[in-house]
Amino acid sequence: PRWLHCGSAFCKNKSDSEELQKIVENEPQKNDRSLVTHDDLFERTSKDSKTKASFNKVVEVFSKKDIRRRGHVEFIYAALKKMPEFGVERDIAVYNKLLDVFPKDVFVPQNFIQKMFNHYPRQQECGVQLLEQMENYGIMPNVETKVLLVQIFGKKSHPMRKYQRIMYWFPKFRNANPFPVPRELPKDPVDLAHFSLTRIANDLDATVTVYQHPLTDITETGEEISQPHIVGIQSPEQRALLAKHNPNRPVFVEGPFPLWLRKTCVHYYLLRAEPVPPEEKLEEELDPELVGPEQSLFYPQLLSLDLNRDLGDDDSFDIDEVEEGPVYAMCMTGGGDQATLAHWICRLQETNPILGRVPTFFRLEAGSGELQTAAGVQYNPGQNPQAGPEMEHITEQEAARSQGMKQ
Amino acid sequence: MSLSRTMLKASKGACEIFRRRQFQPNLVILSTRTIYERDYRRPGQAPDTRWPWQKIRFDFAKGLEGISKHFGLLKDEIVGHWVGPEGRPMLEHILEQSRVLWEFRGPESLRQWVVSSDREIGGRSETYLKMGRNNSTCMLYGTLCSVPPRDGETIYSGYCTLRSKQYLASFDRKKHLDLSSFNTLHLRIRGDGRPWMINISTESYFSHQKNDIYSYFMYTRGGPYWQDVRIPFSKFFLSSRGRIQDQQHVLWLDKVNTIAFTLGDKVDGPFQLEVDFIAVCIDNAHTEEFAYEQYKRNPEV
């Protein structure tokens, strides 16, 4: 059975949440109509804590107050705005509860004229906005939402269409990310560093080593000494490359570089070397057992036959490769100062003894740096302190490099 | 003469009155509102109510350089017509398996790209474009801020785009890219873990389709290593004015206009993207024509 409804809301005077039950009885007697918005109801309820329970309570109180649900459109808009404050914007049960506020069967069109002329447009727009907020936060609606929408708006309404669109596109793009980030990131900074380093390492053989755990010590004099965590990663290939590194050329500790994981930004540091200019490149001696006329054809160790390719098939791109120096190791620390990074280098030296002979530069930018230094920035020796006793040797190299190599 | 001038002034005054009354329905035929509200108006910006002749810039130096540029391009086109299609040899056009469309080797390559952010609608994001190390890559960096501008219209904000300019032939005619012999887009990028979106816009016949954009996501891994992103063209979905459409169809590669990278992941903070090159290639193992269903979109519930 349906009866005429007026969809417009008139605002009533709302008192405290504890007396809301009394309001239900006293409604017909109260005659003063001061302009109070629905937001007030949420503010008053949540004086102590803004939780899902208090939000649900407000919605229930509104639903029970009036069988005709006068002012439900404005109430739902206010509730949608208040959801992030209560922390319930990712909860599908709360959205279903809010959708329950709409009176059922009233807005379903009954005849062809109502179907033609956008029946109850304001309520349909409100339903669409509710679903749009769900879509915005990436929440998948469930079958309860669908049942509610059919009961409230009918099968061919705008909110139902929007629901169908959400249900079509969300599953299509859910697993589109080849490097997925879990929604719940590990809280422990060491675990977070472990996860992000394995993510950027691009090598499944790379091993993560925790060089230092976070510690806060209070010494006898009462000073606080805090040790930030240091987590490093290095793969066997990088170790081999570092072993072949020319000790006359310096290596650089660069950083911090930003890495975004959903909403958190972590910073990592690199140990890398400059690209070798072509005149100093050493030809790699190929093992005669692998390639060449002496290779064994019965037990081949290296097969590079492109048997599936036609003569004209060429997948390479007609472009020069970007010259970049090799990256030898990466790390993430709590504090980005030089002392921590020097400690990292010392610990790296245990597995890579060549680091003891190679001069190490620290290129640290205050604050989060860029992935590459700008083309115009000149390398300033005064800013970067050097680790290692060969000061003059290093300054000569710098002078040679700033003239010779383009930055 | 004087009568016609006063009439012109009166009609111009009347037009100005009509221009100011934008939010009331315009019942008089002699109004110019339909002309200056034809193009997209950024929310919060007043409509451009200049007369057509006020929009053209008359300048002698500009005329001279225009003549030299356009006739030079015309000469190149005529000469290129004898070499082969699009100015490249016929064999190369037929047999090529990969083609580099945009590469960033040198600062003049940045002039082909336009950077935009929500600053145009009143937001607070900042976006800058510069050359990377050794002038061999481009770096798009900046900060996003998703606080919406307070103009009463916008709800969401916080985006930035890097869009390639439309190729222009002589006399500012649009030149389209013909990528019909390829089926995969190959990009070499280095991001910082943020998810980007690639938008390709094509030339369409009807004016309703002028905001049609084919998009797909580009997820960056972050880290110091370059990332090769390969996206087949069959994965691109159709959207218009930011809303994904119900009637989907495959991206037609014969008249591609521009490509763009967008970032709008509702996360405030700095971002960086380095692009090495953008190329297209053929992936013979990819036989999919279109990734999304094309049947009638009005299913019974």
Side-chain angles (χ1 to χ4, degrees), chain A residues 287-291 294-304:
Chain A
D287 192 3
E289 280 184 32
L290 285 182
V291 202
E294 290 172 6
Q295 76 177 139
S296 161
L297 289 171
F298 294 100
Y299 299 100
Q301 283 170 306
L302 192 72
L303 268 183
S304 58

Side-chain angles (χ1 to χ4, degrees), chain A residues 161 165 168 238 260 372, chain B residues 190 192 225 246 293 298:
Chain A
R161 279 268 158 264
R165 283 178 197 126
Y168 180 75
Q238 286 172 331
W260 282 92
Q372 284 181 345
Chain B
R190 187 156 62 182
D192 52 351
Y225 295 112
D246 288 342
E293 281 84 4
N298 206 350

Side-chain angles (χ1 to χ4, degrees), chain A residues 92 127-142 145 149 158-174, chain B residues 243-244 246 297:
Chain A
I92 180 68
V128 166
Q129 286 300 318
L130 198 150
L131 285 168
E132 168 118 4
Q133 179 156 344
M134 271 210 287
E135 182 196 346
N136 206 16
Y137 284 109
I139 300 151
M140 188 82 146
N142 59 14
T145 324
L149 285 173
H158 289 290
M160 195 61 216
R161 279 268 158 264
K162 180 144 182 94
Y163 168 84
Q164 282 166 346
R165 283 178 197 126
I166 293 179
M167 293 308 285
Y168 180 75
W169 290 109
F170 268 34
K172 292 259 178 201
F173 301 137
R174 181 154 173 79
Chain B
R243 292 284 175 183
I244 194 165
D246 288 342
R297 303 307 209 80

Side-chain angles (χ1 to χ4, degrees), chain A residues 4 20 23 37 151 169 182 278 305 344 401:
Chain A
L4 281 173
L20 276 168
I23 289 176
T37 56
Q151 278 177 344
W169 290 109
L305 305 167
W344 170 51
R401 214 159 19 79

